[in-house]
Amino acid sequence: ADVPAKPVWPKDAFTCKDEASALKALGWEAPVASDKITLVLPEIAENGAVVPVSITAAMPDVRSIAVMIPDNPFTLTALFPLAAGTAPDIACRVKMAKTAKVVAIVAAGGKLYSATRDVKVTLGGCG
Amino acid sequence: AFGVIARPARAAAAEDIYAVPRPGTVRVLHVTDTHAQIRPVYFREPSVNIGIGAAQGVPPHLVGRAFLDHFGLPAGGREAYGYTYLDFDEAAHRYGTMGGFAHVATLLARLRAEGPPGATITLDGGDLMQGSALANDTAGAALAELANDLGIDAMTGHWEFTYGQDGLRANIARLHGKFLAQNVFLTDDAAFNGAHCFDASSGRVFQPAQIYAVGGRRVAVIGQAFPYVPIAHPRRFTPDWSFGIHPAELQALASDLRHRERADAVVLLSHNGMDADLKLAAVVPGIDVILGGHTHDAIPTPTVVTNAGGRTLVANGGSSGKFVGVLDLDIGPGGVRDIRYRLLPVFSNLLPADAKVAARIDALEAPGRAAGAEVLAHTDTTLFRRGNFDGPIDRVICDALRHELDAEIAFSPGFRWGPSLLAGSPITMGDLMAQTAVTYPDVYVQPMTGEAIKGLMEDVCDNLFNPDPFRQQGGDMIRIGGMSYVCTPGNAMGSRISDLVLADGRTLEAGKSYRVAGWASVSQKQDGTPVWDVVARYLRARGTVAPDTSTRVTLRGVASNPGYAAT
Amino acid sequence: MASTIRVRAIAADGNVEVQSLIRHPMDSGFMKNDKGQIIPAHFIQTVTFETKGKIVFTAFWGPAISKDPYLKFSYQGGAKGDPLTISWTDNEGMSDTLTTKVA
Ligand SMILES: [Mn+2]
Ligand SMILES: [Mn+2]
């Protein structure tokens, strides 16, 4: 079988320290908030080092899904370019040092959409 | 389609307050947060239970006179004693102890006997299996036996999880009733590894709901466990399980129960805490009644919440065995026609002990009786714990930690359980265990910077006063020994705590390190001594305790808050 | 040595659901060790899933992905018995690969 070319990690985007420059490095415009994106995150992280994130996009022609955490040292956390036939429905886990927002960005049909949620990160205790 | 909600019985002394007419098809009895207080107790309700923003001045954030006025209860009587802190010492002597499983059993039997056989469901809302030496020594097993004696048909949980995954499973196996939790799921790793669960397709670890066919109608009971177990307690107890509130999953389940399982009524047995339940009722339609617990609020008249599906009643059943909730559902072919709810205070001396349960308690306690009876000290003042910020019992614990571990500052968790001790009482080892019996009791001493101390206090304070109830955890503020501070609950996270001053008058410095003692750490497995050994040593050396009152918590912006009473 | 990669791919009606767990420290470069020294960044940058000569899924990661990363996705057009090859490379040039069969 043919061996497909390995995709190249977009270093410029992953070293950005804010959302605007990460978007620019990806060649993306500012996204528009969309309720067609379902971003599932815990209200309070059970473990800031392992925060489950799942993103489902209900719009047609989804090409990429990105996860950004602007308060982390590097904003872009994950980028999932989707092959044709791959469902716009992914789950992964991220690290968060403190209470902050998580932004899911979806590139679809030549446009950019986003959904944002806060996750509370707490020291815990006191039941 | 929705009937009158009965006010609590306003009985004269001679009247039988336990004669509750039974209007409905199905009776649901609710006990919650007994915390293994199987013997009758004194339990002083809080004088500080502050609500901020939308929660200000509405149940459960009412104390003292404001509480009585809101619910239309007379001052000075039995009910004022049961529901509020007012005249606690005097009322405690007059009306005696409350709760006790043998007395609760008598009341449950009586409330069941008023209807046709099988027409009553008895529920426990969790925090049943923790809170005493017996609970700890048997890892909850003794309480599972007593749950069976009380006829518990279903329960959910919170502290039950602190015996670990295997410990909880063993206790569930002992129960005759069901353990229900719709909001506990396998973690990604555990699911990937094929960990045991109730339903692999949903990932739910426990059975989420049970349908009871009663009087020709079908009543669904959904369990909602405490949503923040791995945050409020060490994560090592529940490594494979993920919690949370999960409103969308609850909504789907309630809808499925109604439509596919043909449930005529849906009851949520919740351990969310009342503020979270009020929000949940607003966002999830299709639940008739939430029988709630965790925040230990004893609420005589449930709150009616309107939502997209109609209305949901939100009740909360108090703690420590002091109350039994009685929910009567009148169910017709089209669903619930009428709902009546009463919360009955359990006055031990008005209800004879059930002989079978009393004998069981004697037998279960026999092995630990001698150790529990040891008198460690006496108290000249009434000791209690409950209150958002402070309580003399925690002062004594902090005093002991500072003294015995040579620390400048002591922390004690803001637990809401633990009965009260009247002035003039002995303090026994059993009494001490009722304030400290947890499965992670070890003490620690560590250096902490002023900045870290303030950060920790802000973090815990936000768990009480975050404007979003889903981001509160339902405990009280961490108790501080050896340091005064000011708290402004209405401020934002990070700016509620100020003016931190040590006992000797020095201002806490952000960059300086202090020697801090504490117990029940959630972050690391400690390898020291259980807190009860440290406090017992301190008490034995004193004879009479006098809680240190040289430091204080000063509250700002709450003077007119109905959840605050200066005492 | 056992592979760092564990994967489960299950086909149903032409759709393949894939879950994977990779053993990797995913050090962020911001944490300190017991001696107070910074642990250098060490994290997976690229993961690919390919079947029959075609990449069906790519993940590009930064250092804020959790230790022992988990992934879940699904793709159309697969069937039971298909080979599925998972490969990762990290910022230190380390890599691993594993081929499994869709179940
Ligand atoms: Mn409780
Ligand atoms: Mn609780």
Side-chain angles (χ1 to χ4, degrees):
Chain A
D2 293 334
V3 179
K6 287 287 177 194
V8 179
W9 187 67
K11 181 178 178 182
D12 290 352
F14 274 100
T15 46
C16 291
K17 300 197 170 187
D18 62 78
E19 199 176 336
S21 49
L23 287 167
K24 194 174 165 209
L26 291 167
W28 287 0
E29 307 282 315
V32 189
S34 169
D35 59 11
K36 289 200 163 62
I37 302 172
T38 307
L39 169 61
V40 180
L41 284 158
E43 288 281 348
I44 307 179
E46 295 183 344
N47 177 356
V50 188
V51 181
V53 186
S54 80
I55 300 162
T56 309
M59 56 277 282
D61 191 27
V62 176
R63 299 297 177 89
S64 287
I65 296 175
V67 181
M68 296 197 187
I69 307 176
D71 281 356
N72 271 359
F74 299 112
T75 295
L76 182 61
T77 303
L79 174 66
F80 304 101
L82 302 186
T86 298
D89 181 358
I90 59 99
C92 63
R93 302 183 302 202
V94 301
K95 290 183 271 205
M96 299 178 69
K98 58 181 180 185
T99 298
K101 66 173 183 174
V102 176
V103 188
I105 300 173
V106 172
K111 293 201 169 67
L112 287 149
Y113 304 94
S114 70
T116 303
R117 278 185 68 92
D118 262 27
V119 177
K120 180 172 170 174
V121 178
T122 170
L123 301 170
C126 286
Chain B
F2 211 80
V4 178
I5 300 147
R7 290 257 161 202
R10 228 177 292 174
E15 207 176 320
D16 180 0
I17 64 169
Y18 300 117
V20 184
R22 180 179 181 122
T25 320
V26 179
R27 172 165 276 185
V28 183
L29 303 176
H30 178 233
V31 182
T32 192
D33 294 86
T34 51
H35 285 280
Q37 294 311 303
I38 61 179
R39 301 278 185 186
V41 294
Y42 296 104
F43 187 96
R44 181 193 184 272
E45 297 295 334
S47 46
V48 180
N49 190 16
I50 293 165
I52 293 298
Q56 178 164 340
V58 297
H61 299 287
L62 300 161
V63 299
R65 279 310 299 233
F67 185 103
L68 297 180
D69 290 349
H70 180 90
F71 292 109
L73 297 173
R78 280 188 178 279
E79 286 156 308
Y81 166 59
Y83 284 109
T84 74
Y85 75 90
L86 296 166
D87 304 316
F88 179 71
D89 292 60
E90 194 194 331
H93 286 294
R94 185 179 315 146
Y95 298 115
T97 53
M98 297 190 69
F101 279 29
H103 306 273
V104 170
T106 298
L107 179 55
L108 293 176
R110 180 169 170 184
L111 293 164
R112 282 185 200 112
E114 285 162 9
T120 304
I121 305 163
T122 307
L123 304 176
D124 185 287
D127 283 353
L128 162 72
M129 299 182 179
Q130 172 275 342
S132 71
L134 175 65
N136 240 35
D137 291 348
T138 63
L143 278 299
E145 272 191 64
L146 283 162
N148 294 337
D149 287 344
L150 293 184
I152 302 299
D153 294 303
M155 70 175 294
T156 190
H158 166 192
W159 279 88
E160 286 73 13
F161 290 95
T162 63
Y163 297 114
Q165 296 179 172
D166 293 343
L168 175 57
R169 286 201 191 284
N171 285 331
I172 292 172
R174 289 180 184 102
L175 290 175
H176 297 162
K178 302 278 185 188
F179 186 90
L180 305 176
Q182 76 85 19
N183 59 325
V184 185
F185 296 85
L186 289 179
T187 63
D188 299 330
D189 288 64
F192 194 93
N193 292 330
H196 176 60
C197 65
F198 175 75
D199 171 26
S201 70
S202 68
R204 279 201 172 102
V205 177
F206 303 100
Q207 179 177 336
Q210 173 73 33
I211 294 207
Y212 297 89
V214 182
R217 306 293 177 206
R218 290 163 69 76
V219 177
V221 176
I222 301 174
Q224 176 86 2
F226 177 52
Y228 298 122
V229 170
I231 299 164
H233 306 285
R235 202 155 39 235
R236 65 178 181 273
F237 295 138
T238 52
D240 291 345
W241 301 345
S242 176
F243 295 71
I245 293 174
H246 297 282
E249 286 78 0
L250 174 62
Q251 170 76 82
L253 176 63
S255 168
D256 187 64
L257 288 165
R258 274 199 195 272
H259 301 117
R260 209 168 55 80
E261 304 283 345
R262 294 173 292 104
D264 299 298
V266 177
V267 173
L268 183 71
L269 175 63
S270 168
H271 202 95
N272 281 333
M274 186 154 176
D275 291 296
D277 279 337
L278 291 169
K279 177 175 172 183
L280 191 65
V283 299
V284 175
I287 292 166
D288 295 295
V289 181
I290 298 180
L291 294 175
H294 179 57
T295 37
H296 293 194
D297 302 302
I299 303 299
T301 309
T303 301
V304 181
V305 176
T306 54
N307 55 44
R311 290 193 270 191
T312 300
L313 235 69
V314 178
N316 210 273
S319 77
S320 310
K322 281 181 73 174
F323 299 94
V324 171
V326 186
L327 172 69
D328 286 308
L329 298 170
D330 179 17
I331 306 173
V336 174
R337 283 192 299 230
D338 195 15
I339 301 178
R340 310 237 169 187
Y341 177 88
R342 292 195 192 186
L343 190 61
L344 297 176
V346 181
F347 296 105
S348 314
N349 56 18
L350 294 186
L351 292 157
D354 176 276
K356 183 184 160 203
V357 176
R360 171 90 71 191
I361 289 170
D362 284 343
L364 287 167
E365 285 190 339
R369 183 164 295 133
E374 183 199 351
V375 175
L376 303 169
H378 284 76
T379 179
D380 288 341
T381 56
T382 294
L383 302 179
F384 60 89
R385 170 174 278 163
R386 190 63 232 288
N388 281 162
F389 291 91
D390 210 357
I393 281 177
D394 292 317
R395 290 217 163 217
V396 172
I397 292 173
C398 287
D399 293 347
L401 290 172
R402 287 178 65 215
H403 186 272
E404 298 292 318
L405 302 172
D406 190 24
E408 296 167 275
I409 297 167
F411 290 154
S412 191
F415 295 139
R416 293 191 175 201
W417 44 269
S420 310
L421 292 166
L422 300 187
S425 302
I427 305 171
T428 65
M429 192 65 199
D431 294 329
L432 175 56
M433 292 304 293
Q435 309 296 336
T436 56
V438 303
T439 55
Y440 50 108
D442 293 6
V443 297
Y444 61 85
V445 194
Q446 64 183 25
M448 276 180 91
T449 63
E451 186 183 13
I453 291 167
K454 195 217 179 229
L456 178 100
M457 291 169 66
E458 289 281 2
D459 189 86
V460 179
C461 201
D462 193 60
N463 293 337
L464 262 90
F465 299 117
N466 191 296
D468 182 349
F470 284 4
R471 296 186 169 204
Q472 301 167 0
Q473 288 165 38
D476 279 320
M477 181 63 185
I478 189 168
R479 283 34 180 156
I480 313 287
M483 188 169 66
S484 296
Y485 67 96
V486 173
C487 179
T488 314
N491 281 358
M493 163 79 174
S495 56
R496 293 190 181 101
I497 306 292
S498 63
D499 305 80
L500 300 103
V501 179
L502 295 174
D504 61 10
R506 284 178 297 153
T507 296
L508 195 81
E509 291 173 46
K512 215 184 145 192
S513 186
Y514 301 88
R515 193 172 152 84
V516 177
W519 64 288
S521 165
V522 301
S523 55
Q524 59 203 89
K525 192 164 165 53
Q526 302 293 336
D527 219 14
T529 314
V531 66
W532 48 80
D533 283 356
V534 174
V535 179
R537 191 162 70 221
Y538 175 83
L539 291 176
R540 283 187 198 109
R542 264 151 198 80
T544 301
V545 297
D548 181 351
T549 54
S550 66
T551 58
R552 65 176 63 220
V553 186
T554 305
L555 300 179
R556 281 205 187 126
V558 301
S560 61
N561 193 307
Y564 173 77
T567 53
Chain C
M1 197 180 117
S3 174
T4 57
I5 301 168
R6 293 173 58 208
V7 65
R8 184 179 305 139
I10 297 164
D13 304 327
N15 188 66
V16 179
E17 188 188 87
V18 183
Q19 290 183 82
S20 68
L21 271 171
I22 301 171
R23 195 175 64 247
H24 196 284
M26 297 300 287
D27 291 317
S28 66
F30 297 96
M31 301 297 277
K32 288 177 181 167
N33 66 14
D34 294 342
K35 292 174 188 159
Q37 302 154 323
I38 289 279
I39 303 165
H42 181 204
F43 61 98
I44 293 174
Q45 294 178 323
T46 306
V47 192
T48 58
F49 293 73
E50 72 179 78
T51 181
K52 298 180 289 186
K54 179 183 171 242
I55 291 178
V56 289
F57 192 72
T58 303
F60 292 130
W61 285 341
I65 291 292
S66 306
K67 176 177 189 283
D68 297 338
Y70 168 85
L71 258 178
K72 183 177 173 183
F73 70 96
S74 61
Y75 65 93
Q76 283 290 322
K80 190 173 169 176
D82 284 355
L84 181 68
T85 299
I86 299 91
S87 309
W88 62 257
T89 54
D90 70 22
N91 66 321
E92 293 183 357
M94 293 162 71
S95 64
D96 199 2
T97 186
L98 176 87
T99 298
T100 188
K101 269 197 167 56
V102 174

